[in-house]
């Protein structure tokens, strides 16, 4: 039981390049999330999904796109990377618990540097 | 939308000292409150959570937190810290009306000296 797995763990990009971060969970959770973690700012929600085929914007969605084609996968895309997107990205999932979101299960993080 | 503030950025304690980390949220309605911990090199994991009922909640590893509605606070406490408690601690809040929008504080780094 791997839980939440993120790939890649590290990536260096040049400004303007594109990339996709993959998140996979094997716990059959309904909800999935992408956060970014920056020093002094904690975690900020980028996008989330409440089920296969659905996505919604979080607190800081600009410059990112997401897709949830399969229940177990949640992809985060950067179409044209900018230095401001240098961050550590965390994926998380949570089960549906009767309408109250409970514990988030996090991946190990992906460190992205944009030069 | 709700927001969270954590008062201390970095706390340094000696083993056996008592710990209290502050957390305040801004939202006038019903909230769900959480504390997460990130040990060095590991992913975030849940320490404890409050949805309703007894405002004093107990979590793993001897941690507890008290919800004080009048103060919009959810402070984390531990009577006696250990070296292994060295980690970063995040307070988080969501609401029953938008429970997928979990907002986190900036985090408090705790260093426990042996």
């Amino acid at each position: 039981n791997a839980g939440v797995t993120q790939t890649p763990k590290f990536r260096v990009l040049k400004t303007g390049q594109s990339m996709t971060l993959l998140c996979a969970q094997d716990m059959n959770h309904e909800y999935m999330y992408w956060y970014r973690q920056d020093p002094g700012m904690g975690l900020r929600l980028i996008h989330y999904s409440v089920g296969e085929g659905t996505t919604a914007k979080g607190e800081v969605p600009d410059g990112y796109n997401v897709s949830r084609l399969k229940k177990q996968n949640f992809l985060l895309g950067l179409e044209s990377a900018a230095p401001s997107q240098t961050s550590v990205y965390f994926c998380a999932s949570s089960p549906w618990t009767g309408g109250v979101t409970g514990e988030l299960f996090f991946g190990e993080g992906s460190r992205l540097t944009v030069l | 939308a709700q927001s969270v503030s954590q008062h201390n950025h970095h706390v340094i304690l000696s083993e056996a000292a008592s710990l209290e980390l502050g957390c305040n949220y801004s939202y006038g309605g019903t909230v769900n409150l959480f504390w997460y911990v990130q040990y060095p090199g590991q992913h975030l994991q849940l320490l404890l959570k409050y949805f309703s009922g007894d405002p004093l909640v107990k979590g793993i590893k001897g941690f507890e937190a008290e919800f004080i509605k009048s103060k919009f606070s959810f402070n984390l406490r531990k009577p006696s810290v250990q070296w292994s408690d060295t980690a970063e601690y995040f307070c988080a809040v969501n609401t029953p009306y938008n429970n997928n929008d979990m907002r986190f504080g900036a985090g408090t780094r705790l260093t426990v000296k042996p």
Side-chain angles (χ1 to χ4, degrees), chain A residues 33-76:
Chain A
Y33 312 82
W34 275 108
Y35 285 88
R36 58 178 289 173
Q37 182 183 24
D38 302 293
M41 304 190 74
L43 283 82
R44 292 180 292 169
L45 182 64
I46 304 171
H47 286 280
Y48 65 95
S49 168
V50 300
E52 183 178 322
T54 71
T55 63
K57 294 180 180 179
E59 187 182 0
V60 289
D62 294 342
Y64 305 95
N65 57 76
V66 289
S67 65
R68 182 106 180 261
L69 299 180
K70 293 182 179 180
K71 185 178 183 178
Q72 63 268 32
N73 295 338
F74 195 31
L75 279 66
L76 177 71

Side-chain angles (χ1 to χ4, degrees), chain A residues 31 33 35 37 40 42-43 45 48 50 59 90 99-101 103-104 106-107, chain B residues 32 34 36 38 43-44 46 51 90 94 98-106:
Chain A
Y31 305 138
Y33 312 82
Y35 285 88
Q37 182 183 24
L43 283 82
L45 182 64
Y48 65 95
V50 300
E59 187 182 0
F90 286 95
V100 178
T101 297
E103 179 177 356
L104 295 181
F106 284 88
Chain B
N32 304 315
F34 307 80
Y36 282 84
Q38 187 177 27
H43 53 82
L44 285 90
L46 183 70
F51 289 154
F90 294 91
N94 67 11
N98 190 9
N99 54 33
N100 290 293
D101 189 359
M102 182 90 77
R103 298 293 174 106
F104 285 78

Side-chain angles (χ1 to χ4, degrees), chain A residues 74-85:
Chain A
F74 195 31
L75 279 66
L76 177 71
L78 285 72
E79 290 186 348
S80 180
S84 61
Q85 294 176 305

Side-chain angles (χ1 to χ4, degrees), chain B residues 33-48:
Chain B
L33 295 155
F34 307 80
W35 276 97
Y36 282 84
V37 60
Q38 187 177 27
Y39 296 104
Q42 297 187 26
H43 53 82
L44 285 90
Q45 55 188 285
L46 183 70
L47 261 185
L48 47 80

